[in-house]
Amino acid sequence: MEQNNYQGKMQKPLHSGFNAKSTATEVIEGIDLTGKVAIVTGGHTGIGLETTKTLSKAGALVIVAARDTAKAQKNLEGIANVELESLDFMDSDSIDSFAAKFLASGRPLHLLINNAGIMWVPLRRDSRGYESQLVTNYLGQFQLTARLWPALKQANGARVLNVSSYGHQMAPFDFDDPNFLYREYQTLQGYGQSKTACNLFALELDNRAKDFNVRAYSLHPGSVLGTDLGREEPIELFKQIGTHDQDGNLKPEVAALLKTLSQGAATTVWCATSPLLENIGGVYCEDADIAELDLGNIEHKFDEPETIRGVQPYSLDQDNAKRLWDLTERLLGVSFEICE
């Protein structure tokens, strides 16, 4: 019987033995990645940097794709088994150049970790008129994955990870107006639909690619302290959701509940390496396990990070996934054929 995660039918925790406090080092213990090749977009900062360090220490060659290569070079100093390459998701030619250079090396690609992302930004558009969060958080990862498909297939045992977010709960994908051409721009709506798209992409990619021994996953890192993700967020929004006081300072009781960078990278590393996922794909994960389907049974409180969990059924819907794949190919002018 064919297995897939359409409608969330495989979306059940595995009781992995890990939890929200588990670190990247703990989830990879005993796993040797010698001879494996990984690409981590945005692997030079925040949880991306922690992911790079962890995979490198386990023996993998990690290619870090970064927009700001000067910053990346500084942050990656002293880390073994790392190569740095330039990649800007807001520039489709940059994606093609990066992928072409990697394919020309002839190396297989065992792990593609689509980690780069932005959030809480004002309305910006790329040269095609596409909204920046949709481009950076989703369209870029689709194009990159499509271009790198030959190397993923060559690995004969690859995994593709889309670093998504609980933020997918903020909005389903708007098929009528994904680029905010006709509706008022709301930054969290843009972020939410871009992360919903990440989930749908992993769902559909896994179903199409599993016959070639390529599996795909989406994941929520958790509420993490010390990332750059909220650098453009208006402080008033933090106050409204209850995480900051009236002076704009993070409340100590909230800070104490947030994950460290190593805890934030744990789910990425677990999805990339866990033997428990050997015959499972297309699932959305959190806290180093498969997440629970959110059917309205989870009470979410933004000042209690442990309640920020679960996955919305609309982001695991078969029709939505197939429709988004077709739309994405049209938007990008890219044909992503999963074939020999």
Side-chain angles (χ1 to χ4, degrees):
M1 179 177 170
E2 183 182 14
Q3 281 196 320
N4 58 59
N5 195 37
Y6 292 142
Q7 319 313 130
K9 60 186 174 222
M10 297 175 67
Q11 199 65 44
K12 297 177 179 63
L14 297 174
H15 307 293
S16 65
F18 300 112
N19 55 47
K21 296 190 180 300
S22 298
T23 65
T25 301
E26 289 168 348
V27 302
I28 205 172
E29 186 177 355
I31 294 175
D32 182 6
L33 297 181
T34 302
K36 304 294 185 183
V37 180
I39 290 175
V40 184
T41 65
H44 63 291
T45 185
I47 63 171
L49 178 57
E50 199 66 32
T51 301
T52 296
K53 291 177 179 177
T54 305
L55 298 179
S56 166
K57 195 175 289 187
L61 170 65
V62 185
I63 297 158
V64 173
R67 183 179 57 82
D68 186 342
T69 53
K71 178 180 179 180
Q73 191 163 21
K74 181 179 179 182
N75 291 355
L76 295 169
E77 191 174 340
I79 304 174
N81 305 323
V82 169
E83 295 178 7
L84 174 61
E85 296 290 347
S86 176
L87 175 65
D88 183 355
F89 273 159
M90 289 289 282
D91 179 355
S92 62
D93 290 340
S94 170
I95 299 172
D96 287 347
S97 296
F98 172 89
K101 183 175 180 180
F102 181 83
L103 293 179
S105 75
R107 294 178 291 193
L109 179 57
H110 302 90
L111 295 172
L112 173 56
I113 300 178
N114 291 311
N115 168 80
I118 56 175
M119 185 181 187
W120 279 308
V121 297
L123 178 59
R124 297 188 182 117
R125 300 187 185 279
D126 70 1
S127 60
R128 300 164 294 191
Y130 297 164
E131 189 269 327
S132 65
Q133 291 185 101
L134 183 64
V135 173
T136 304
N137 297 346
Y138 168 62
L139 292 176
Q141 67 178 217
F142 185 100
Q143 182 176 340
L144 180 64
T145 307
R147 296 307 193 209
L148 291 172
W149 171 248
L152 289 165
K153 186 174 57 176
Q154 181 185 342
N156 191 29
R159 294 186 184 185
V160 177
L161 279 64
N162 295 340
V163 179
S164 182
S165 170
Y166 169 83
H168 80 275
Q169 298 228 8
M170 297 173 184
F173 191 84
D174 190 323
F175 287 96
D176 296 323
D177 188 19
N179 287 299
F180 293 88
L181 299 176
Y182 309 106
R183 55 183 169 136
E184 180 185 357
Y185 182 69
Q186 296 182 30
T187 186
L188 291 182
Q189 291 285 303
Y191 181 74
Q193 77 156 359
S194 73
K195 293 303 185 177
T196 289
C198 290
N199 298 352
L200 291 169
F201 176 38
L203 177 73
E204 186 63 20
L205 176 62
D206 185 78
N207 190 56
R208 298 186 183 210
K210 63 180 183 289
D211 287 345
F212 300 94
N213 208 10
V214 177
R215 306 308 301 252
Y217 310 88
S218 57
L219 66 104
H220 170 47
S223 301
V224 185
L225 188 65
T227 73
D228 290 338
L229 198 57
R231 60 187 177 273
E232 293 192 68
E233 182 186 6
I235 195 63
E236 290 304 318
L237 189 52
F238 280 124
K239 293 179 186 178
Q240 288 173 21
I241 63 178
T243 59
H244 289 59
D245 63 25
Q246 288 308 303
D247 295 325
N249 300 310
L250 181 67
K251 295 177 181 177
E253 62 269 25
V254 175
L257 296 172
L258 296 178
K259 291 187 178 187
T260 65
L261 289 174
S262 184
Q263 290 168 337
T267 303
T268 300
V269 173
W270 183 78
C271 287
T273 62
S274 176
L276 293 176
L277 294 175
E278 197 166 312
N279 297 307
I280 299 173
V283 290
Y284 172 95
C285 300
E286 62 191 9
D287 296 338
D289 205 337
I290 297 176
E292 183 182 355
L293 200 61
D294 187 348
L295 301 174
N297 53 310
I298 303 172
E299 183 180 3
H300 307 291
K301 299 178 181 178
F302 283 100
D303 57 349
E304 296 181 19
E306 71 275 9
T307 70
I308 306 306
R309 62 185 185 86
V311 59
Q312 280 293 323
Y314 58 65
S315 76
L316 298 175
D317 179 80
Q318 179 175 355
D319 292 340
N320 287 345
K322 294 184 181 302
R323 185 180 179 190
L324 179 63
W325 189 287
D326 292 342
L327 174 63
T328 305
E329 287 187 322
R330 294 198 301 274
L331 288 172
L332 295 176
V334 169
S335 177
F336 189 176
E337 292 291 334
I338 306 288
C339 58
E340 292 286 358

